[in-house]
Amino acid sequence: MSTRLAGRTALVTGATSNIGRAVAEAFAAEGALVAVSGRSAARGAEVVDAVRARGGRAVFVRADLDGGAAAARDLADRATRALGGRIDVLVNNAGVYPGDTTDRTDEETFDRVYAVNVKAPFFLTAAVAPAMAEAGGGAVVNLGSWIARLGVPMGALYSSTKGAVETLTRAWAAEFGPRGVRVNAISPGVVLPLADGSGHPAAAMMRGTPAGRMGTPAEIAHAAVYLASDEASFVHGIVLDVDGGRTTAAVVAA
């Protein structure tokens, strides 16, 4: 087991599946005590058991982040207690993705997506970052998305929420950085749980990219470990593209 996050505590939202689970497992493998947060106690227990089976440390803290400030403060309080009195790293990963077109998106869906994807991380960061600063410092890692900067015909609502998260990342870096709290974001490309997703319809989204394939949750988790660790001590307010080159380069096949 490596020790890049030894002695650290971390709260990871949406940690019972996919990217969130990979981040929680990677943090634990690097020595952190991880609060695995999500809505499903059964899936949370599965992640905690998997972490402990590999010699890591994790606890489950159930939460349904509906965007309300009260829910965010409640999670922050319970996670802080579960982690022994402090949160050193916060990963704002929980989110929902409605892939419909703009004209088929109703107001209820609009409000729900903004509540989960923007309001929840906003108020959770508001609850956690000041305490980090008072304790001497910490790190916040937000999850953005490649479609925040490369327009596609579906998912305008989702992409706008991730654009908001990336903007908040820069604003929070300016706000909390001078107080010892580093805030950065990761912008994943098309990611599936399986390493080989060549037969999945989403694989088409990665054609013409340098990587030529979809990413895995573990590849996103590696970036999260870096941003949470002392190796990124001079990194503030960035959006780290981990997208196989989707937003930066195009490959033209001969």
Side-chain angles (χ1 to χ4, degrees), residues 148-173:
R149 277 164 292 145
L150 182 65
V152 296
M154 298 285 286
L157 175 59
Y158 176 81
S159 65
S160 71
T161 66
K162 290 304 182 179
V165 167
E166 293 185 5
T167 296
L168 286 170
T169 297
R170 292 183 284 271
W172 286 336

Short mmCIF file of all heavy atoms in Angstrom, two decimals, residues 148-173:
data_model
loop_
_atom_site.label_atom_id
_atom_site.label_comp_id
_atom_site.label_asym_id
_atom_site.label_seq_id
_atom_site.Cartn_x
_atom_site.Cartn_y
_atom_site.Cartn_z
N ALA A 148 -18.71 20.30 -20.74
CA ALA A 148 -18.86 21.68 -20.29
C ALA A 148 -18.20 22.64 -21.28
O ALA A 148 -18.52 23.82 -21.31
CB ALA A 148 -18.24 21.87 -18.91
N ARG A 149 -17.27 22.11 -22.10
CA ARG A 149 -16.53 22.97 -23.03
C ARG A 149 -16.61 22.55 -24.48
O ARG A 149 -16.21 23.29 -25.37
CB ARG A 149 -15.07 23.06 -22.60
CG ARG A 149 -14.84 24.08 -21.50
CD ARG A 149 -13.52 23.91 -20.81
NE ARG A 149 -13.52 22.67 -20.03
CZ ARG A 149 -12.45 21.90 -19.88
NH1 ARG A 149 -11.33 22.22 -20.47
NH2 ARG A 149 -12.51 20.81 -19.16
N LEU A 150 -17.13 21.36 -24.73
CA LEU A 150 -17.31 20.90 -26.12
C LEU A 150 -18.78 20.57 -26.30
O LEU A 150 -19.29 19.60 -25.75
CB LEU A 150 -16.45 19.67 -26.40
CG LEU A 150 -16.52 19.12 -27.83
CD1 LEU A 150 -15.95 20.14 -28.81
CD2 LEU A 150 -15.77 17.81 -27.93
N GLY A 151 -19.47 21.40 -27.06
CA GLY A 151 -20.91 21.24 -27.20
C GLY A 151 -21.30 19.98 -27.96
O GLY A 151 -20.69 19.62 -28.96
N VAL A 152 -22.31 19.29 -27.43
CA VAL A 152 -22.89 18.13 -28.10
C VAL A 152 -24.40 18.33 -28.15
O VAL A 152 -24.96 19.11 -27.39
CB VAL A 152 -22.54 16.81 -27.35
CG1 VAL A 152 -21.03 16.58 -27.37
CG2 VAL A 152 -23.05 16.84 -25.93
N PRO A 153 -25.09 17.64 -29.07
CA PRO A 153 -26.52 17.92 -29.27
C PRO A 153 -27.43 17.51 -28.12
O PRO A 153 -28.58 17.92 -28.08
CB PRO A 153 -26.86 17.08 -30.53
CG PRO A 153 -25.56 16.79 -31.18
CD PRO A 153 -24.57 16.71 -30.09
N MET A 154 -26.94 16.69 -27.19
CA MET A 154 -27.75 16.24 -26.07
C MET A 154 -27.11 16.69 -24.76
O MET A 154 -25.90 16.87 -24.67
CB MET A 154 -27.87 14.71 -26.06
CG MET A 154 -28.53 14.12 -27.29
SD MET A 154 -30.32 14.35 -27.29
CE MET A 154 -30.79 13.12 -26.06
N GLY A 155 -27.94 16.87 -23.74
CA GLY A 155 -27.40 17.13 -22.41
C GLY A 155 -27.01 18.56 -22.13
O GLY A 155 -26.09 18.81 -21.35
N ALA A 156 -27.70 19.53 -22.74
CA ALA A 156 -27.37 20.93 -22.49
C ALA A 156 -27.50 21.28 -21.01
O ALA A 156 -26.69 22.03 -20.46
CB ALA A 156 -28.27 21.84 -23.32
N LEU A 157 -28.54 20.74 -20.38
CA LEU A 157 -28.75 21.04 -18.96
C LEU A 157 -27.58 20.54 -18.12
O LEU A 157 -27.02 21.28 -17.31
CB LEU A 157 -30.06 20.40 -18.50
CG LEU A 157 -30.38 20.50 -17.00
CD1 LEU A 157 -30.45 21.95 -16.56
CD2 LEU A 157 -31.69 19.77 -16.69
N TYR A 158 -27.20 19.29 -18.31
CA TYR A 158 -26.09 18.71 -17.55
C TYR A 158 -24.81 19.48 -17.81
O TYR A 158 -24.07 19.81 -16.87
CB TYR A 158 -25.91 17.25 -17.94
CG TYR A 158 -24.73 16.58 -17.28
CD1 TYR A 158 -24.82 16.10 -15.97
CD2 TYR A 158 -23.53 16.41 -17.96
CE1 TYR A 158 -23.74 15.48 -15.36
CE2 TYR A 158 -22.45 15.79 -17.36
CZ TYR A 158 -22.55 15.32 -16.06
OH TYR A 158 -21.49 14.72 -15.46
N SER A 159 -24.50 19.75 -19.06
CA SER A 159 -23.25 20.44 -19.38
C SER A 159 -23.20 21.81 -18.74
O SER A 159 -22.13 22.27 -18.30
CB SER A 159 -23.05 20.54 -20.90
OG SER A 159 -24.03 21.35 -21.49
N SER A 160 -24.34 22.49 -18.64
CA SER A 160 -24.35 23.82 -18.01
C SER A 160 -24.07 23.72 -16.52
O SER A 160 -23.41 24.59 -15.94
CB SER A 160 -25.69 24.52 -18.25
OG SER A 160 -26.74 23.92 -17.53
N THR A 161 -24.52 22.64 -15.87
CA THR A 161 -24.22 22.49 -14.45
C THR A 161 -22.73 22.23 -14.24
O THR A 161 -22.14 22.73 -13.28
CB THR A 161 -25.03 21.34 -13.80
OG1 THR A 161 -24.64 20.08 -14.36
CG2 THR A 161 -26.51 21.54 -13.99
N LYS A 162 -22.13 21.47 -15.13
CA LYS A 162 -20.71 21.20 -14.98
C LYS A 162 -19.88 22.44 -15.31
O LYS A 162 -18.79 22.64 -14.76
CB LYS A 162 -20.29 20.02 -15.86
CG LYS A 162 -20.85 18.69 -15.34
CD LYS A 162 -20.44 18.44 -13.89
CE LYS A 162 -20.92 17.12 -13.37
NZ LYS A 162 -20.49 16.89 -11.96
N GLY A 163 -20.38 23.27 -16.21
CA GLY A 163 -19.73 24.56 -16.45
C GLY A 163 -19.76 25.41 -15.19
O GLY A 163 -18.77 26.09 -14.85
N ALA A 164 -20.87 25.36 -14.48
CA ALA A 164 -20.98 26.10 -13.22
C ALA A 164 -19.99 25.57 -12.19
O ALA A 164 -19.34 26.35 -11.47
CB ALA A 164 -22.41 26.00 -12.68
N VAL A 165 -19.85 24.26 -12.11
CA VAL A 165 -18.92 23.66 -11.16
C VAL A 165 -17.48 24.08 -11.47
O VAL A 165 -16.69 24.37 -10.56
CB VAL A 165 -19.05 22.13 -11.15
CG1 VAL A 165 -17.89 21.47 -10.42
CG2 VAL A 165 -20.37 21.71 -10.52
N GLU A 166 -17.14 24.10 -12.74
CA GLU A 166 -15.78 24.50 -13.10
C GLU A 166 -15.54 25.97 -12.79
O GLU A 166 -14.43 26.36 -12.38
CB GLU A 166 -15.52 24.17 -14.56
CG GLU A 166 -15.51 22.66 -14.82
CD GLU A 166 -15.12 22.29 -16.24
OE1 GLU A 166 -14.76 23.19 -17.02
OE2 GLU A 166 -15.15 21.08 -16.56
N THR A 167 -16.55 26.81 -12.96
CA THR A 167 -16.43 28.22 -12.59
C THR A 167 -16.29 28.37 -11.08
O THR A 167 -15.47 29.15 -10.58
CB THR A 167 -17.66 29.01 -13.08
OG1 THR A 167 -17.69 28.98 -14.51
CG2 THR A 167 -17.59 30.46 -12.63
N LEU A 168 -17.09 27.60 -10.32
CA LEU A 168 -16.97 27.64 -8.87
C LEU A 168 -15.58 27.20 -8.43
O LEU A 168 -15.04 27.73 -7.44
CB LEU A 168 -18.02 26.73 -8.24
CG LEU A 168 -19.46 27.24 -8.25
CD1 LEU A 168 -20.43 26.14 -7.82
CD2 LEU A 168 -19.60 28.46 -7.34
N THR A 169 -14.99 26.26 -9.13
CA THR A 169 -13.64 25.80 -8.78
C THR A 169 -12.66 26.95 -8.79
O THR A 169 -11.86 27.12 -7.85
CB THR A 169 -13.18 24.71 -9.77
OG1 THR A 169 -14.05 23.57 -9.66
CG2 THR A 169 -11.75 24.30 -9.51
N ARG A 170 -12.70 27.76 -9.83
CA ARG A 170 -11.78 28.90 -9.91
C ARG A 170 -12.10 29.94 -8.84
O ARG A 170 -11.18 30.51 -8.22
CB ARG A 170 -11.84 29.51 -11.31
CG ARG A 170 -11.27 28.59 -12.40
CD ARG A 170 -11.28 29.25 -13.75
NE ARG A 170 -12.61 29.28 -14.33
CZ ARG A 170 -13.13 28.32 -15.09
NH1 ARG A 170 -12.43 27.22 -15.34
NH2 ARG A 170 -14.35 28.44 -15.60
N ALA A 171 -13.38 30.20 -8.63
CA ALA A 171 -13.76 31.19 -7.61
C ALA A 171 -13.37 30.72 -6.21
O ALA A 171 -12.86 31.51 -5.40
CB ALA A 171 -15.27 31.44 -7.69
N TRP A 172 -13.59 29.45 -5.93
CA TRP A 172 -13.22 28.92 -4.60
C TRP A 172 -11.72 28.88 -4.41
O TRP A 172 -11.22 29.06 -3.29
CB TRP A 172 -13.81 27.53 -4.42
CG TRP A 172 -15.29 27.53 -4.17
CD1 TRP A 172 -16.04 28.55 -3.65
CD2 TRP A 172 -16.19 26.45 -4.41
NE1 TRP A 172 -17.35 28.18 -3.55
CE2 TRP A 172 -17.48 26.90 -4.01
CE3 TRP A 172 -16.06 25.17 -4.92
CZ2 TRP A 172 -18.62 26.09 -4.12
CZ3 TRP A 172 -17.18 24.35 -5.03
CH2 TRP A 172 -18.44 24.82 -4.63
N ALA A 173 -10.97 28.65 -5.49
CA ALA A 173 -9.51 28.68 -5.37
C ALA A 173 -9.06 30.07 -4.91
O ALA A 173 -8.15 30.19 -4.07
CB ALA A 173 -8.86 28.31 -6.69
#
